Amino acid sequence: MSTLQPLPEITHHEKLPPGAKEIARIQMRHPKKLYTFIQYDNRLIIHTSRDAVIDGKPDYICGQIDLPIGFLHWFPNALENFRKPPSEGGLQAGKLVSPTQIVEGEELSISRAMGDRAWPEKGPPPGYYIENRSRLQHDFDDEPELKDPQEMKFPESYLYNEGLLDFIKRLGDQYKAGLL
């Protein structure tokens, strides 16, 4: 599989590039983080952002992952299968990364992110990484050999306690119905 160019980098969720359209957003509470779902050229950008204070000054921290729009339908099912025990067809015992799956021509996988449930006091929360092995990260423009595949972490608390997974399922249903 060849490497695809990253989609335009979005430095603020309110300043989208030409041709980009916000299709939905959801605000997480603990800790606060905004997920903005953006359609661009029949692809999907999931943009995350939060306000922070760094060295006593307000700051805006953001990131994104570029995906095929079919991710919206693929992810809930893939995550459910990932979480199944081996006896029910899930990953083999000890495995933390799913096999790569092709979604609309792009290589996607899920991996387990371990962490401490008491986050932020004791470390990062547990959750799941989505990796797009078909697209490289936006940074390291001058050193292409250092580029890694794009990835984004979805904390368990956001997915299951704050409704992010159900939100993505609803968007996936809209996508399958041709409404996006």
Side-chain angles (χ1 to χ4, degrees):
M1 174 96 21
S2 64
T3 301
L4 302 171
Q5 291 296 314
L7 298 178
E9 187 170 12
I10 298 174
T11 58
H12 196 284
H13 66 280
E14 297 290 349
K15 299 174 185 169
L16 301 182
K21 176 180 107 174
E22 180 180 324
I23 56 176
R25 68 171 63 178
I26 184 171
Q27 176 73 55
M28 302 290 100
R29 293 181 304 274
H30 303 291
K32 281 188 144 186
K33 184 180 270 191
L34 178 66
Y35 284 84
T36 307
F37 293 74
I38 300 159
Q39 188 170 357
Y40 181 85
D41 193 27
N42 204 30
R43 297 286 180 211
L44 177 69
I45 298 170
I46 300 177
H47 183 271
T48 62
S49 60
R50 67 182 177 89
D51 291 318
V53 176
I54 299 176
D55 294 329
K57 297 177 185 167
D59 202 356
Y60 178 83
I61 299 171
C62 65
Q64 76 183 58
I65 186 169
D66 307 334
L67 298 159
I69 199 158
F71 164 86
L72 296 169
H73 182 71
W74 169 83
F75 177 67
N77 297 323
L79 182 59
E80 181 180 325
N81 289 333
F82 183 89
R83 292 173 46 98
K84 286 182 181 177
S87 62
E88 294 178 21
L91 295 178
Q92 295 174 347
K95 295 279 186 181
L96 298 175
V97 180
S98 72
T100 298
Q101 296 179 33
I102 306 299
V103 178
E104 295 177 352
E106 298 191 39
E107 297 178 29
L108 305 182
S109 67
I110 298 174
S111 63
R112 182 71 171 133
M114 305 308 280
D116 190 315
R117 293 182 185 276
W119 185 64
E121 295 82 14
K122 295 186 180 179
Y128 301 90
Y129 281 101
I130 301 306
E131 185 174 80
N132 185 344
R133 296 181 181 161
S134 296
R135 294 184 188 271
L136 300 178
Q137 292 181 14
H138 288 272
D139 50 6
F140 301 115
D141 288 335
D142 296 330
E143 301 178 55
E145 69 278 3
L146 297 178
K147 287 192 175 192
D148 291 322
Q150 290 187 12
E151 67 179 18
M152 180 171 282
K153 182 179 181 182
F154 294 114
E156 254 179 19
S157 61
Y158 290 172
L159 289 167
Y160 298 105
N161 301 339
E162 295 195 38
L164 182 58
L165 183 59
D166 289 336
F167 184 82
I168 293 171
K169 284 180 185 177
R170 284 192 299 278
L171 289 175
D173 291 344
Q174 290 176 13
Y175 167 72
K176 280 312 239 187
L179 300 174
L180 295 180

